[in-house]
Amino acid sequence: MRKRKMTRHSQIIIGILTVIVALYLAIAFFFWRSLTPYQSGRKQAIAIAQQKTDLKTATAFDIATTDTTTYSVVGLDSSKQEIGVLIPKKSGKITVVRLADGVSPTTLTSQKTQSVVLALYQGQPAWEVNNSDGFKVYDFKSGKELL
């Protein structure tokens, strides 16, 4: 029985497919590795918020950087009130705020708004608003522009 040789055309197709699969795997691995620190920070922040505060269910998480880096967890407490838990990255006091006690973030947004994050600015709760025009920080309670 004679073996059939692969044609040049088949070899080229297999080579191209091998390169495509290798690139796909490399890109997938890169993105998986790049998201690992965010995911581990998210898990740790939610665990800390649930241990040290009345947070029962986390609904949102973000990382805010104003004058300090803060992990922000938003969720519901045991009485189903929406609260925000602000955890400074470099130790410090955990701050808990009832979102109903502050300015609604929707009043600070425009069509150009990309994100609104609960943050700490000079040790006080604030809203960090990122627009295509720039970055602004507003006081949590009054809505006054701080930065």
Side-chain angles (χ1 to χ4, degrees):
M1 187 172 193
R2 256 179 36 173
K3 289 186 178 179
R4 285 177 57 193
K5 289 186 174 181
M6 288 178 62
T7 65
R8 171 77 91 210
H9 182 69
S10 297
Q11 291 175 350
I12 291 172
I13 289 175
I14 290 173
I16 290 171
L17 289 175
T18 302
V19 168
I20 289 171
V21 169
L23 282 172
Y24 173 76
L25 290 174
I27 290 169
F29 181 73
F30 172 77
F31 280 109
W32 175 72
R33 292 291 294 165
S34 67
L35 291 176
T36 302
Y38 177 84
Q39 294 299 334
S40 68
R42 179 181 186 275
K43 284 180 186 176
Q44 289 176 353
I46 291 172
I48 290 169
Q50 288 176 334
Q51 288 172 359
K52 303 208 180 225
T53 68
D54 194 25
L55 181 75
K56 297 299 176 202
T57 307
T59 56
F61 168 80
D62 219 324
I63 300 172
T65 303
T66 52
D67 56 343
T68 61
T69 299
T70 307
Y71 296 107
S72 172
V73 181
V74 175
L76 301 174
D77 64 7
S78 57
S79 61
K80 303 290 185 212
Q81 297 284 329
E82 197 169 31
I83 63 170
V85 181
L86 298 163
I87 306 166
K89 182 177 181 180
K90 298 206 180 206
S91 74
K93 189 178 107 178
I94 293 175
T95 304
V96 180
V97 294
R98 287 202 182 290
L99 296 186
D101 294 344
V103 173
S104 172
T106 56
T107 61
L108 306 172
T109 62
S110 68
Q111 289 182 338
K112 297 178 181 182
T113 301
Q114 297 167 345
S115 66
V116 179
V117 179
L118 188 61
L120 283 177
Y121 179 69
Q122 297 179 346
Q124 298 299 314
W127 291 111
E128 177 184 283
V129 180
N130 187 8
N131 292 326
S132 56
D133 296 339
F135 171 84
K136 294 185 180 179
V137 177
Y138 296 93
D139 182 62
F140 174 76
K141 289 190 179 188
S142 69
K144 183 180 124 189
E145 187 175 331
L146 301 172
L147 178 69

